[in-house]
Amino acid sequence: MKLLVTGGAGFIGSNFIYYMQKTHPDYEIVNLDLLTYAGNPDSLKEAEQSPNYRFVHGDIADSALVTDLFEKERFDTVVNFAAESHVDRAVLNPSVFVRTNVLGTQVLLDAAKTYGVKRYHQVSTDEVYGDLPLDRPDLFFTETSPLHTSSPYSAAKAGADLLVLAYHRTFGLPVTISRCSNNYGPYQFPEKLIPLMILRALKDEPLPVYGTGENIRDWLYVEDHCIAIDMILQKGTVGEIYNIGGHNEKTNLHVVKTILETLNKPEALISFVTDRPGHDRRYAIDPAKISAELGWMPTVAFENGIRKTIRWYVEHPDWWQRILTGEYSRYIETMYGKRLS
């Protein structure tokens, strides 16, 4: 099996590569990544020890590069993680999200069609469904829920999903799509809620929480996500969408307080800041389909996963200290500087 993983230097992609190396050591894995701000080659130092792993520096929206790579490698399977993914950055610069998430997906689909890829898997997000009301805990997103995007990020991901399904229907390309809830775990870039709060708490800095912190997310430990994708590749039905949810709904404020409690830090560090535009209220995914058809269920409860995640960041300061400089510092100042002053 020759597997192309795009965006493999990012958070979920790097965890997926490690999982596949552990469970399928005979697979040849090629990682195509542009190494933008969130792509960290340090995350893959151990993966590089395997002779079956190779890194290619490149842009999924670069048609010539992608075509040449597919021509040389003749991949059996493609898993596309590559995407601009942070909603706050999408508000600042939507065009980057359209280029990578939509055009990049189209370039990959064309190459997959031309070179006879046996399975193209698109990693999507629950954000394509929009949000749910806070006062209806009985409601969940299913694979047939209408797309109702709230941000340039989710709109670009929805556009990519529609392209994937169109290539299946028009050209017969063997595709699958997964839509996951909020992931957390090792190697996550510290612009996202959990690592941002962990690292700021470790430095006794204010923790910026949007609005009142009552927005709800369904948290999924990243290795559970990797297991689900592998199951879809092995047993999933071509042309189908699978929702991957963690059954771990928590308010943002609960998450932040849990981190502070685990680190023995005071809640006085919490600083409520002006909410971002179009902030979705609640995400909640029903994973009944993937459970019934493929036998997948999440195995890591939030209470255990968050402790494992905090411990990883505490034990790996070399990984994140190099990140907390330069462009990232400028971004944090842009997003939160005035709100925390």
Side-chain angles (χ1 to χ4, degrees):
M1 170 72 75
K2 182 169 282 190
L3 171 65
L4 174 64
V5 177
T6 66
F11 163 46
I12 307 176
S14 59
N15 278 278
F16 181 72
I17 286 172
Y18 281 123
Y19 174 79
M20 296 301 279
Q21 286 183 327
K22 178 176 66 177
T23 56
H24 305 284
D26 56 325
Y27 281 18
E28 294 181 57
I29 300 175
V30 176
N31 173 19
L32 173 62
D33 199 297
L34 186 57
L35 295 181
T36 58
Y37 74 93
N40 190 344
D42 286 351
S43 301
L44 292 162
K45 285 183 177 180
E46 294 179 28
E48 292 171 352
Q49 305 307 310
S50 169
N52 286 339
Y53 170 82
R54 186 164 78 88
F55 173 76
V56 176
H57 184 213
D59 185 353
I60 63 168
D62 183 338
S63 180
L65 181 147
V66 169
T67 300
D68 183 64
L69 183 63
F70 275 70
E71 171 71 31
K72 290 178 179 177
E73 299 289 350
R74 303 289 172 153
F75 299 109
D76 299 297
T77 300
V78 175
V79 180
N80 181 26
F81 291 97
E84 297 287 343
S85 64
H86 191 44
V87 175
D88 287 345
R89 288 182 184 263
V91 174
L92 295 174
N93 189 1
S95 63
V96 175
F97 285 70
V98 174
R99 182 182 186 277
T100 300
N101 299 1
V102 181
L103 178 60
T105 297
Q106 179 259 314
V107 169
L108 290 172
L109 290 167
D110 275 344
K113 173 173 68 71
T114 299
Y115 293 98
V117 165
K118 297 180 179 67
R119 176 66 64 87
Y120 176 98
H121 183 75
Q122 179 76 4
V123 180
S124 188
T125 171
D126 59 355
E127 295 190 39
V128 300
Y129 299 122
D131 64 350
L132 295 166
L134 295 176
D135 60 354
R136 290 294 306 276
D138 57 311
L139 295 180
F140 295 87
F141 293 129
T142 70
E143 289 81 0
T144 59
S145 297
L147 304 185
H148 188 66
T149 61
S150 303
S151 70
Y153 160 61
S154 57
K157 290 296 288 184
D161 286 3
L162 294 174
L163 274 174
V164 172
L165 295 173
Y167 270 65
H168 172 63
R169 182 166 182 174
T170 303
F171 304 113
L173 187 67
V175 306
T176 44
I177 296 173
S178 58
R179 293 172 177 159
C180 67
S181 56
N182 282 45
N183 280 220
Y184 68 104
Y187 302 112
Q188 188 170 25
F189 191 78
E191 66 185 356
K192 298 299 179 76
L193 178 70
I194 286 178
L196 175 66
M197 298 302 160
I198 293 171
L199 301 190
R200 292 185 73 88
L202 287 172
K203 298 189 294 177
D204 294 307
E205 295 178 344
L207 275 56
V209 176
Y210 282 133
T212 60
E214 295 306 310
N215 303 69
I216 292 174
R217 300 294 181 260
D218 175 19
W219 293 98
L220 175 68
Y221 192 67
V222 65
E223 188 169 32
D224 276 336
H225 186 190
C226 297
I227 293 169
I229 292 174
D230 187 26
M231 284 186 171
I232 294 169
L233 294 177
Q234 304 302 325
K235 302 186 293 183
T237 302
V238 167
E240 291 296 311
I241 299 167
Y242 294 92
N243 282 350
I244 308 171
H247 281 312
N248 285 303
E249 287 188 57
K250 309 292 179 186
T251 67
N252 288 347
L253 187 58
H254 175 87
V255 171
V256 173
K257 287 183 176 181
T258 300
I259 291 168
L260 290 171
E261 180 182 1
T262 304
L263 292 172
N264 293 314
K265 299 290 185 176
E267 291 186 7
L269 288 175
I270 296 173
S271 177
F272 294 101
V273 299
T274 306
D275 212 348
R276 73 182 178 209
H279 196 178
D280 287 334
R281 293 162 295 180
R282 172 177 172 253
Y283 302 146
I285 270 193
D286 180 1
K289 178 178 176 178
I290 191 172
S291 175
E293 293 188 11
L294 307 184
W296 178 89
M297 285 292 290
T299 62
V300 181
F302 181 79
E303 292 71 21
N304 296 329
I306 192 65
R307 286 196 295 268
K308 291 170 63 175
T309 301
I310 292 170
R311 184 167 60 249
W312 187 89
Y313 282 93
V314 170
E315 294 175 352
H316 293 81
D318 289 346
W319 183 86
W320 53 262
Q321 282 175 347
R322 283 192 287 270
I323 294 173
L324 302 184
T325 58
E327 194 275 340
Y328 177 73
S329 294
R330 291 190 293 273
Y331 165 75
I332 290 296
E333 177 64 25
T334 299
M335 291 307 304
Y336 301 114
K338 292 181 180 179
R339 300 176 186 183
L340 292 173
S341 59

